[in-house]
Amino acid sequence: SSALTQPPSVSVSPGQTAKITCTGETLANSYSYWYQHKPGQAPVVVLFQDTERPSQIPERFSGSSSGTTVTLTITGVQAEDEADYYCQSGDSSGTSDVVFGGGTKLTVL
Amino acid sequence: EEQLVESGGGLVQSGESLRLSCAASGFSLSMYWIHWVRHSPGKGLVWVSRIDRDGTRTAFADPVQGRFDVSRDNVKQTVFLQMNALRIEDTGTYFCSRAGTQGFDLWGQGVQVTVTS
């Protein structure tokens, strides 16, 4: 299965904008998903199908897609957003491979 | 409340076996594909296995192919991950997750598996 590449870490100050990229060939023809994972907790989906946001996720989370790169953007970062973020590709209800990126540690300074 | 609860983890030696369970409540398990995902420090989230709604189709990541098996009992609302010939690199927290229309939209709290030499 194809690999997904993310930066290991991103640091921003509160109120700033954080952008986390995810690159992989599979993203050219597959939707992406983003998960927030805090220590000791279950992961939470924050974006699905590249740009869609679950109803319970704040509007400051948004997504974009261009070719083989997708981007998670957090506008007006808050301290509670500090977490690991993982991109994922593949059809979770189908036969295509499910792949996670290596994860990005978002640090709120 | 919709919930997934994993159990069955523990500390084992290399080569031994464990059987993890994932119990669902608050929704009908038979309507969803279920996946197992492992988290370990330094490796992050890694997809392990999936099973379709009625258990007829399964798939596994290459490192566990031939050693792990997945099954389900929709009447008992439970999915199982049988892990044989465990290796040190299988160590981590194992999550079961529900595949919904919005990706993996429900996760369990995770269960720790530690494999020692």
Short mmCIF file of all heavy atoms in Angstrom, two decimals, chain A residues 47 53-63 73-76:
data_model
loop_
_atom_site.label_atom_id
_atom_site.label_comp_id
_atom_site.label_asym_id
_atom_site.label_seq_id
_atom_site.Cartn_x
_atom_site.Cartn_y
_atom_site.Cartn_z
N LEU A 47 -11.97 15.67 10.16
CA LEU A 47 -12.35 15.94 8.78
C LEU A 47 -12.57 14.62 8.05
O LEU A 47 -11.85 13.65 8.32
CB LEU A 47 -11.28 16.73 8.03
CG LEU A 47 -11.02 18.19 8.41
CD1 LEU A 47 -9.85 18.75 7.59
CD2 LEU A 47 -12.25 19.05 8.21
N ARG A 53 -16.55 18.45 7.62
CA ARG A 53 -16.33 18.49 9.06
C ARG A 53 -17.52 17.88 9.78
O ARG A 53 -18.66 18.29 9.56
CB ARG A 53 -16.13 19.95 9.50
CG ARG A 53 -15.69 20.13 10.93
CD ARG A 53 -15.52 21.63 11.24
NE ARG A 53 -16.78 22.34 11.09
CZ ARG A 53 -17.02 23.22 10.11
NH1 ARG A 53 -16.09 23.48 9.21
NH2 ARG A 53 -18.19 23.84 10.04
N PRO A 54 -17.28 16.89 10.66
CA PRO A 54 -18.40 16.38 11.47
C PRO A 54 -19.05 17.50 12.28
O PRO A 54 -18.40 18.48 12.63
CB PRO A 54 -17.71 15.36 12.39
CG PRO A 54 -16.48 14.96 11.66
CD PRO A 54 -16.04 16.20 10.93
N SER A 55 -20.31 17.35 12.58
CA SER A 55 -21.08 18.43 13.20
C SER A 55 -20.51 18.88 14.54
O SER A 55 -20.65 20.05 14.92
CB SER A 55 -22.54 18.00 13.36
OG SER A 55 -22.63 16.84 14.17
N GLN A 56 -19.85 17.96 15.24
CA GLN A 56 -19.37 18.30 16.57
C GLN A 56 -17.97 18.93 16.57
O GLN A 56 -17.45 19.32 17.62
CB GLN A 56 -19.34 17.04 17.47
CG GLN A 56 -18.27 16.04 17.11
CD GLN A 56 -18.69 15.07 16.03
OE1 GLN A 56 -19.63 15.32 15.27
NE2 GLN A 56 -18.01 13.93 15.98
N ILE A 57 -17.37 19.03 15.41
CA ILE A 57 -16.02 19.59 15.30
C ILE A 57 -16.11 21.11 15.04
O ILE A 57 -16.87 21.56 14.18
CB ILE A 57 -15.24 18.91 14.17
CG1 ILE A 57 -15.13 17.40 14.45
CG2 ILE A 57 -13.86 19.53 14.00
CD1 ILE A 57 -14.45 17.06 15.77
N PRO A 58 -15.33 21.90 15.77
CA PRO A 58 -15.37 23.36 15.61
C PRO A 58 -15.05 23.82 14.19
O PRO A 58 -14.28 23.18 13.48
CB PRO A 58 -14.31 23.86 16.59
CG PRO A 58 -14.17 22.77 17.60
CD PRO A 58 -14.41 21.50 16.85
N GLU A 59 -15.61 24.96 13.82
CA GLU A 59 -15.42 25.50 12.47
C GLU A 59 -13.98 25.88 12.17
O GLU A 59 -13.60 26.04 11.00
CB GLU A 59 -16.32 26.72 12.28
CG GLU A 59 -17.80 26.40 12.23
CD GLU A 59 -18.63 27.65 11.95
OE1 GLU A 59 -18.06 28.73 11.73
OE2 GLU A 59 -19.88 27.53 11.98
N ARG A 60 -13.16 26.02 13.20
CA ARG A 60 -11.77 26.42 12.94
C ARG A 60 -10.98 25.31 12.24
O ARG A 60 -9.88 25.56 11.75
CB ARG A 60 -11.07 26.83 14.24
CG ARG A 60 -10.93 25.74 15.29
CD ARG A 60 -10.21 26.31 16.53
NE ARG A 60 -10.04 25.31 17.59
CZ ARG A 60 -10.93 25.05 18.50
NH1 ARG A 60 -12.09 25.72 18.51
NH2 ARG A 60 -10.71 24.13 19.43
N PHE A 61 -11.53 24.11 12.18
CA PHE A 61 -10.89 23.01 11.47
C PHE A 61 -11.41 22.98 10.03
O PHE A 61 -12.62 22.95 9.79
CB PHE A 61 -11.19 21.67 12.14
CG PHE A 61 -10.50 21.46 13.46
CD1 PHE A 61 -11.05 21.96 14.62
CD2 PHE A 61 -9.29 20.78 13.52
CE1 PHE A 61 -10.41 21.79 15.84
CE2 PHE A 61 -8.64 20.59 14.75
CZ PHE A 61 -9.22 21.10 15.90
N SER A 62 -10.48 23.00 9.06
CA SER A 62 -10.88 22.93 7.66
C SER A 62 -9.86 22.14 6.88
O SER A 62 -8.74 21.90 7.35
CB SER A 62 -11.03 24.34 7.07
OG SER A 62 -9.78 25.00 7.06
N GLY A 63 -10.25 21.73 5.67
CA GLY A 63 -9.36 20.91 4.87
C GLY A 63 -9.37 21.34 3.42
O GLY A 63 -10.31 21.97 2.94
N THR A 73 -6.11 22.53 8.12
CA THR A 73 -5.84 23.88 8.61
C THR A 73 -6.66 24.14 9.86
O THR A 73 -7.87 23.85 9.89
CB THR A 73 -6.20 24.94 7.54
OG1 THR A 73 -5.40 24.72 6.36
CG2 THR A 73 -5.93 26.34 8.07
N ILE A 74 -5.99 24.63 10.89
CA ILE A 74 -6.68 25.02 12.12
C ILE A 74 -6.48 26.52 12.27
O ILE A 74 -5.36 26.99 12.50
CB ILE A 74 -6.14 24.27 13.35
CG1 ILE A 74 -6.09 22.77 13.08
CG2 ILE A 74 -7.00 24.55 14.56
CD1 ILE A 74 -5.41 21.96 14.17
N THR A 75 -7.57 27.26 12.13
CA THR A 75 -7.51 28.72 12.16
C THR A 75 -7.86 29.22 13.56
O THR A 75 -8.93 28.90 14.08
CB THR A 75 -8.48 29.31 11.14
OG1 THR A 75 -8.19 28.78 9.83
CG2 THR A 75 -8.39 30.83 11.10
N GLY A 76 -6.95 29.98 14.14
CA GLY A 76 -7.19 30.43 15.51
C GLY A 76 -6.98 29.30 16.49
O GLY A 76 -7.87 28.94 17.26
#
